[in-house]
Amino acid sequence: MKFLLFTFVGVVHLFSLNSGKAIYKNDFSRRTFQEIKEEIARYKDVAKAIINLAVYGKAQNRSYERLALLVDTVGPRPSGSKSLEKAIQIMYRNLQEDGLENVHLEPVKIPHWERGEESAVMLEPRVHKMAILGLGSSIGTPPEGITAEVLVVTSFEELQRRAPEARGKIVVYNQPYVNYSKTVQYRVQGAVEAAKVGALASLIRSVASFSIYSPHTGIQEYQDGVPKIPTACITVEDAEMISRMASRGNRIVIQLKMGAKNYPDADSFNTVAEIIGSKYPEQECVFKHMRELCSNTITCASFKPKKAGKEFSIQWIYVPEVVLVSGHLDSWDVGQGAMDDGGGAFISWEALSLIKDLGLRPKRTLRLVLWTAEEQGGIGGFQYYQLHKVNISNYSLVMESDEGTFLPSGLQFTGSEKARAIMKEVMRLLEPVNVTQVFRTGEGTDINFWIQAGVPVHLLQLHEAIDYLTIADMAHAL
């Protein structure tokens, strides 16, 4: 059911959904909202056909089976690894065999980090072996490890107040969980803030609302001019225990060993496939050698270079209006990435498969992008944006699924109020499966660049039940 949301907005004729900055060449501003509403309603039978195929027909469970095959075959797909590149090549072949159009790979340079062996043992006030996971891009410790007394803090503000106590110690963050976007700042910035006050290493309470003694991992970021120190996540349970010990005045000593290493950037790819739009391919031409774009036939035909001794040739290309759906193929190394983000990648693929299987041809090109190196800070998404932003006005809508593939309740949307009203009408087509809501603040690591440029974006909104799902439940939820 999750992929139905991506499918509908791909096939429905989306009108001027820009949030104010991107300017569309096809001007629909003269159309009344009532006219737009009526045209969207005419897709009711198409919507019903998609639902029947996806929920009750031969495509039922297809995306699950496709995903299971990939993760069983390849396993974890960390940035820079051979397994990620194997997964990319498999997906490239899969998309070709599925009969999609313009299947190709776009080169990306990505970070290559490996965690190595790692351990943490509390030596005082008692011996306790701790579960940890090093954070992406962290440096390692010396071979003998780092053995030091601990300073426990609950916020960056407390760390600043107690800065004189931090020098030469291991800072343990026991920050309360507020929500992911706020609390994750401790994982991302914790090492830098601890290093600024002279700490030798930092250990961060896992960013989670629930724990079964399972440490988390994720990216962290160093800062130029600030010493790099090793950093890892510890479990919620250990963070709370260490905090209780510190509140009683106990001296706490931890030995931390991390074999993490950063290697030179590796070659990788974003994986792209399309269903070409029937109505809005935009013709442009490229002047070779000058690499100069012009946007209409008259300019190209009349252009006469005057520079002596320099040959110019004209090459015609098609730059379509695009609705982009996406998820990322990479994962961390401690799981097989079925939820983060194999599920998002495969439901995005399924959106195109459903439209192809029904013989539908959307008016705008529906483009699938499977990002590489999202976990390292959206590297693939950023490089794609840099490559394609010259045609930003041709992007009608950009979507990403990267919050799990649980039961959806609607879409998060960022765009103008006029666009929001139109999207509410589009979502009415999903009334048969009771997924009709349009929420605010759509965002995602790989698509935030487009938001900043004014392109409207969507992200799946999931039921709140996922907040208290345990890791063991995730296989059933998928």
Side-chain angles (χ1 to χ4, degrees):
M1 187 183 298
K2 288 78 67 173
F3 41 77
L4 291 176
L5 286 78
F6 280 9
T7 308
F8 286 172
V9 292
V11 74
V12 172
H13 181 184
L14 296 176
F15 296 95
S16 286
L17 297 185
N18 56 304
S19 59
K21 296 180 183 177
I23 300 172
Y24 291 93
K25 296 175 183 177
N26 295 296
D27 181 13
F28 293 103
S29 61
R30 292 186 294 272
R31 302 196 62 168
T32 67
F33 178 74
Q34 184 60 33
E35 290 173 327
I36 295 172
K37 181 177 178 179
E38 290 172 359
E39 180 159 348
I40 291 172
R42 289 198 287 272
Y43 284 89
K44 186 175 181 179
D45 290 342
V46 173
K48 184 178 179 181
I50 294 171
I51 291 172
N52 288 338
L53 176 60
V55 180
Y56 310 111
K58 68 176 184 179
Q60 186 182 30
N61 295 326
R62 178 169 61 185
S63 59
Y64 176 90
E65 292 164 0
R66 286 170 165 175
L67 173 60
L69 178 60
L70 180 79
V71 298
D72 291 348
T73 301
V74 178
R77 305 172 298 282
S79 176
S81 68
K82 292 181 179 179
S83 59
L84 173 58
E85 299 318 304
K86 180 179 179 180
I88 290 170
Q89 293 301 323
I90 289 173
M91 288 306 301
Y92 175 70
R93 293 193 298 270
N94 286 345
L95 298 174
Q96 288 181 315
E97 292 170 1
D98 195 31
L100 300 178
E101 299 165 307
N102 291 342
V103 179
H104 64 279
L105 302 175
E106 297 187 0
V108 181
K109 282 287 188 181
I110 63 174
H112 181 191
W113 173 85
E114 296 181 9
R115 74 175 57 254
E117 297 294 323
E118 54 191 14
S119 65
V121 180
M122 183 170 66
L123 303 176
E124 297 181 33
R126 66 177 177 88
V127 175
H128 169 62
K129 187 175 180 179
M130 302 167 61
I132 70 165
L133 282 176
L135 295 178
S137 78
S138 175
I139 64 169
T141 65
E144 67 276 12
I146 294 173
T147 301
E149 189 174 345
V150 163
L151 172 67
V152 182
V153 297
T154 59
S155 67
F156 291 137
E157 291 75 18
E158 182 181 1
L159 178 63
Q160 291 303 313
R161 291 196 305 270
R162 303 178 64 184
E165 303 175 55
R167 182 165 297 278
K169 294 182 180 178
I170 296 174
V171 170
V172 170
Y173 292 96
N174 186 34
Q175 75 284 348
Y177 182 84
V178 179
N179 57 46
Y180 184 80
S181 61
K182 291 184 179 180
T183 313
V184 77
Q185 297 306 313
Y186 288 90
R187 190 196 76 204
V188 176
Q189 303 173 16
V192 165
E193 296 304 317
K196 287 178 180 177
V197 293
L200 301 179
S202 65
L203 297 173
I204 293 94
R205 169 178 166 155
S206 290
V207 183
S209 58
F210 184 85
S211 177
I212 51 172
Y213 202 70
S214 50
H216 289 197
T217 192
I219 194 64
Q220 67 86 37
E221 297 176 355
Y222 290 123
Q223 184 177 312
D224 291 343
V226 178
K228 296 180 179 180
I229 62 174
T231 184
C233 269
I234 60 176
T235 66
V236 172
E237 293 88 340
D238 280 344
E240 290 285 353
M241 179 185 69
I242 292 169
S243 183
R244 292 193 300 272
M245 289 175 171
S247 69
R248 299 183 192 119
N250 295 130
R251 182 175 184 266
I252 305 163
V253 176
I254 289 177
Q255 182 186 64
L256 176 66
K257 292 184 178 182
M258 294 175 59
K261 290 183 179 180
N262 288 282
Y263 295 92
D265 286 352
D267 294 321
S268 187
F269 303 92
N270 288 322
T271 310
V272 184
E274 294 180 339
I275 294 178
I276 297 173
S278 64
K279 189 173 181 180
Y280 297 112
E282 293 288 326
Q283 194 178 51
E284 296 187 350
C285 69
V286 179
F287 291 108
K288 289 183 178 180
H289 308 303
M290 286 183 63
R291 301 194 180 279
E292 182 176 336
L293 287 173
C294 66
S295 60
N296 59 71
T297 310
I298 296 174
T299 305
C300 292
S302 63
F303 179 79
K304 298 181 184 300
K306 297 180 179 179
K307 189 173 181 180
K310 184 72 173 180
E311 292 185 0
F312 294 87
S313 61
I314 295 176
Q315 176 184 352
W316 291 97
I317 61 173
Y318 284 91
V319 183
E321 287 200 22
V322 173
V323 172
L324 187 149
V325 298
S326 67
H328 66 87
L329 272 183
D330 63 301
S331 73
W332 288 105
D333 56 322
V334 290
Q336 55 186 358
M339 277 290 172
D340 188 10
D341 180 37
F346 275 71
I347 66 172
S348 299
W349 173 18
E350 183 67 19
L352 274 68
S353 288
L354 289 170
I355 292 174
K356 177 190 66 66
D357 289 350
L358 288 168
L360 300 172
R361 179 68 67 175
K363 295 182 180 180
R364 289 170 173 80
T365 291
L366 183 58
R367 180 175 297 166
L368 165 69
V369 182
L370 304 178
W371 313 109
T372 188
E374 184 275 345
E375 298 292 2
Q376 297 291 327
I379 304 300
F382 175 72
Q383 292 193 34
Y384 178 90
Y385 175 75
Q386 291 297 112
L387 180 64
H388 293 274
K389 65 182 180 180
V390 65
N391 296 313
I392 195 167
S393 64
N394 293 91
Y395 283 78
S396 299
L397 186 68
V398 175
M399 294 180 281
E400 179 177 26
S401 173
D402 192 17
E403 290 192 351
T405 47
F406 304 95
L407 182 66
S409 56
L411 286 174
Q412 298 172 18
F413 177 77
T414 296
S416 68
E417 288 306 310
K418 180 181 177 181
R420 183 177 302 280
I422 295 172
M423 288 313 307
K424 286 181 179 179
E425 296 303 315
V426 173
M427 294 300 291
R428 289 182 187 275
L429 298 174
L430 280 165
E431 285 179 352
V433 288
N434 196 30
V435 183
T436 59
Q437 298 185 72
V438 178
F439 301 89
R440 296 189 178 273
T441 318
E443 60 182 6
T445 300
D446 292 301
I447 62 175
N448 282 339
F449 316 105
W450 300 92
I451 297 174
Q452 295 164 10
V455 176
V457 302
H458 270 316
L459 193 71
L460 283 177
Q461 173 71 34
L462 307 171
H463 280 291
E464 294 180 354
I466 68 168
D467 290 341
Y468 50 82
L469 280 171
T470 67
I471 293 173
D473 290 328
M474 287 188 176
H476 300 292
L478 180 63

